[in-house]
Structures are given as structure tokens and as C-alpha cells.
Amino acid sequence: QVQLVESGGGLVQPGGSLRLSCAASGRIFALLDMGWYRQAPGKQRELVAQITSGGMTNYDDSVKVRFTISRDNAKNTVYLQMNSLKPEDTAVYYCNVNAKRYAFANEVRYWGQGTQVTVSS
């Protein structure tokens, strides 16, 4: 199966920055849309940002001017640069990837294990 390994989370003060990485490995025929979701305690998981295979991006309004999603197709990696972090950004962040393992296979959504981001003074 496709494995997603996330890194870059941690504790940061308000106004600080973090960069999350998510590297996909395993047999991959086609790596399509990639994105980041987050889930705060007591809340539903929500879409933060997504990026298509062509590099088109979409952001939730709450992070639009502060976060940047990007991808390195050669490395099968998606990134989330988070600047001007706020306490309300505190959540577990999950990478997700829409991919085909084989040319004849259906597209399947894969999820990372989640990485904790805590914004607190």
C-alpha cells in the first residue's frame, strides 16, 4: 500500500512558523490531488489546503493568507508552510493523497498518521 509519513509538527508560540512535510512511498502509478486536513479537540476534521497535480491550490479562508501548500512531484512530497500561527490553529494535521497504485486501479485516498501542531505561549 501507499505509505504517508508526516513530519514537522510541534510546539510553537503564537506568530511563529512551522513547515509540515508528507512523503508518499510505495508503489505509485499516479499521484493526483494532495492536501492537508486538521482536527482540533471536540471538532470535526476540516480541509486546510489542497493542491492538484498541476499545482493549483485551494485554501480554507481561515488560513488563506498565512499558509502555503506546495508539492515536489519528484519526491512524492507535499508541504504545508504555516506562518503567523494562532492558537486556533492547534490541531492534529493529517496529510491526504489521492493516488493510483496501478494504471488500471481505482483512485484511492490515503491518509497520514497525523502530526500534532500546538500553538501556545
Side-chain angles (χ1 to χ4, degrees), residues 39-102:
Q39 187 167 23
K43 301 187 67 176
Q44 298 186 47
R45 187 174 299 187
E46 64 179 2
L47 175 67
V48 177
Q50 62 185 52
I51 184 168
T52 69
S53 59
M56 298 296 100
T57 59
N58 183 50
Y59 299 91
D60 182 82
D61 287 341
S62 66
V63 307
K64 187 173 296 182
V65 299
R66 300 182 296 117
F67 292 9
T68 301
I69 188 171
S70 61
R71 63 192 289 167
D72 186 334
N73 291 329
K75 297 180 179 179
N76 288 339
T77 300
V78 62
Y79 305 92
L80 185 67
Q81 177 66 47
M82 304 184 293
N83 299 323
S84 301
L85 283 161
K86 305 175 180 179
E88 50 263 44
D89 294 318
T90 296
V92 177
Y93 284 70
Y94 297 91
C95 172
N96 85 97
V97 173
N98 188 14
K100 285 186 174 184
R101 297 189 68 219
Y102 305 93

